[in-house]
């Protein structure tokens, strides 16, 4: 997709998405046989419910029908939320990932997997898991030192509420 088309679509669609209290994260136009697929990724601090995706999809579809932003060729519109292991590229992505495990590639090439504890304007306070029975350690990483970052999917992570419930059961 050309930068001009991408910029034009973003300019057209961002107000619609923002009106639904969502952030427009990504716009992609791809070829799928004789058709094109317009993929829109939206998100919010609270995540995105299926109903919200459907509602914003209807609004986007109507707006695209009223404009010539997609030209005359057929296209399929897909509106969704980012995946669980989404890349962290914006400050708001790190804020939304607070409490989650993330894999960071630092600008010196080193890799680090740690839990995001605090996010401020300059960087992250992390908890690096201990290895072989050792306690976790604290680490500070500045945004300027991060080349890439991605949320890690955790299948066996206890929910914060479970930790509180476990503590209450132990006290009883």
């Amino acid at each position: 997709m050309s930068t001009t088309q991408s910029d034009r679509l973003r300019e057209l669609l961002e107000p619609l998405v923002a009106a639904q209290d969502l952030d427009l994260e990504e716009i992609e136009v791809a070829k799928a046989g004789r058709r094109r697929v317009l993929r829109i990724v939206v998100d919010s601090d609270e995540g995105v419910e299926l109903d919200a995706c459907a509602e914003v999809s209807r609004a986007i579809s109507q707006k695209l029908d009223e404009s010539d932003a997609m030209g005359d060729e057929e296209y399929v519109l897909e509106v969704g939320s980012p995946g669980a292991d989404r890349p962290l590229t914006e400050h708001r992505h790190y804020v939304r990932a607070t409490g989650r495990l993330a894999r960071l590639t630092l600008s010196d090439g080193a890799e680090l997997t740690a839990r995001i504890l605090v996010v401020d304007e300059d960087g992250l306070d992390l908890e690096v898991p201990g290895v072989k029975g050792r306690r976790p350690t604290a680490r500070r990483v500045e945004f300027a030192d991060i080349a890439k970052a991605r949320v890690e999917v955790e299948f066996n992570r206890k929910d914060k509420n479970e930790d509180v419930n476990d503590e209450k059961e132990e006290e009883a």
Side-chain angles (χ1 to χ4, degrees):
M1 174 170 63
S2 71
T3 304
T4 307
Q5 184 182 25
S6 176
D7 293 343
R8 189 169 175 211
L9 284 169
R10 183 167 291 279
E11 187 177 305
L12 181 70
L13 302 178
E14 205 152 32
L16 289 174
V17 174
Q20 304 284 336
D21 293 325
L22 299 171
D23 296 314
L24 179 58
E25 296 291 348
E26 193 177 317
I27 297 174
E28 176 191 2
V29 178
K31 277 283 198 191
R34 290 183 285 173
R35 291 186 179 164
R36 295 175 297 158
V37 177
L38 173 58
R39 288 187 186 94
I40 307 288
V41 178
V42 297
D43 201 7
S44 78
D45 290 344
E46 294 79 33
V48 182
E49 298 287 328
L50 186 58
D51 290 344
C53 276
E55 202 170 309
V56 77
S57 179
R58 283 189 291 275
I60 289 172
S61 180
Q62 182 178 355
K63 189 68 164 181
L64 290 173
D65 288 346
E66 294 169 358
S67 78
D68 65 345
M70 290 300 292
D72 294 333
E73 291 180 54
E74 289 184 28
Y75 67 93
V76 174
L77 174 63
E78 295 178 0
V79 177
S81 62
D85 63 345
R86 59 125 13 107
L88 305 173
T89 57
E90 303 282 338
H91 184 269
R92 68 178 176 264
H93 298 163
Y94 290 95
V95 171
R96 291 173 184 160
T98 300
R100 304 279 310 270
L101 199 62
R103 179 179 302 271
L104 309 172
T105 302
L106 304 179
S107 47
D108 66 3
E111 288 198 2
L112 172 66
T113 300
R115 190 163 312 282
I116 300 172
L117 299 178
V118 177
V119 180
D120 60 34
E121 294 305 313
D122 300 317
L124 312 170
D125 290 337
L126 304 168
E127 179 184 75
V128 181
V131 180
K132 295 184 181 178
R134 293 187 177 157
R135 290 191 166 276
T137 56
R139 179 158 178 191
R140 173 77 181 175
V141 175
E142 302 296 319
F143 286 123
D145 297 329
I146 300 172
K148 291 189 317 187
R150 179 177 296 279
V151 169
E152 288 285 292
V153 177
E154 296 179 84
F155 293 106
N156 60 353
R157 180 175 177 227
K158 280 185 160 182
D159 188 8
K160 290 178 187 177
N161 294 333
E162 288 179 30
D163 291 337
V164 171
N165 291 337
D166 289 347
E167 290 172 10
K168 287 180 181 176
E169 287 175 11
E170 288 173 10
E171 291 174 2

